[in-house]
């Protein structure tokens, strides 16, 4: 059972369909808030420019397949970490700390 909120569907089939369709651009803002990170930082990880995300918000467009896939993977890691650590807050903190196991990279 997950202890954290998620921005993407939970079942595998729903997730695959949502990613193929393209996640709504607003999901990126929700994930940034959930992780308590700057949106620009998350945009860089997902590979979207600030101008592109602004345009997608204005035109109510969806994220590309690649960006949706990256965002869904971040969400999946966050959800799994929340299960392990027992809270979304602890999971978000863990995701923002360099890991020795990952050669001092962020998870």
């Amino acid at each position: 059972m997950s202890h954290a909120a998620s921005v993407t569907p939970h079942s595998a089939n729903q997730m695959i369909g949502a990613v193929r369709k393209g996640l709504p651009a607003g999901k990126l803002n929700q994930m940034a808030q959930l992780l308590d990170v700057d949106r620009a930082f998350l945009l860089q990880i997902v590979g979207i420019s600030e101008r592109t995300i602004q345009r997608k918000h204005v035109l109510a467009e969806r994220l590309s397949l690649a960006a949706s896939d990256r965002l869904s993977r971040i969400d999946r890691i966050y959800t799994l970490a929340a299960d392990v650590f027992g809270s979304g807050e602890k999971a978000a903190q863990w995701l923002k700390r360099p890991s020795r196991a990952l050669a001092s990279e962020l998870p």
Side-chain angles (χ1 to χ4, degrees), residues 4 7 10 12-13 16-18 29 38 47 49 53 55 57-58 67 69-70 73 79 81 84 92-94 106:
V7 300
H10 292 288
N13 287 338
I16 291 167
N29 289 338
D38 185 54
S49 72
I53 200 67
R55 187 186 75 249
H57 279 295
V58 169
D69 181 54
R70 288 185 199 111
R73 289 171 189 257
T79 301
V84 169
Q93 290 172 359
W94 174 77
L106 298 176

Side-chain angles (χ1 to χ4, degrees), residues 40-59:
F41 177 70
L42 192 56
L43 285 171
Q44 182 180 5
I45 291 171
V46 174
I48 304 174
S49 72
E50 182 69 40
R51 181 64 190 120
T52 297
I53 200 67
Q54 287 173 352
R55 187 186 75 249
K56 288 187 179 292
H57 279 295
V58 169
L59 300 175

Side-chain angles (χ1 to χ4, degrees), residues 28 31-33 35-45 50 96:
L28 192 129
M31 181 56 76
Q33 289 176 339
L35 297 175
D36 192 27
V37 296
D38 185 54
R39 185 174 88 156
F41 177 70
L42 192 56
L43 285 171
Q44 182 180 5
I45 291 171
E50 182 69 40
K96 295 184 279 186

Side-chain angles (χ1 to χ4, degrees), residues 61-80:
E61 292 180 354
R62 294 183 169 274
L63 298 176
S64 68
L65 176 62
S68 294
D69 181 54
R70 288 185 199 111
L71 189 60
S72 70
R73 289 171 189 257
I74 293 167
D75 184 62
R76 178 76 176 134
I77 293 167
Y78 167 79
T79 301
L80 291 171

Side-chain angles (χ1 to χ4, degrees), residues 4-24:
S6 177
V7 300
T8 56
H10 292 288
S11 80
N13 287 338
Q14 287 176 328
M15 174 59 73
I16 291 167
V19 167
R20 285 182 178 162
K21 186 177 176 183
L23 296 174

Side-chain angles (χ1 to χ4, degrees), residues 93-107:
Q93 290 172 359
W94 174 77
L95 284 167
K96 295 184 279 186
R97 264 186 285 178
S99 171
R100 280 193 312 200
L102 299 174
S104 296
E105 294 288 328
L106 298 176

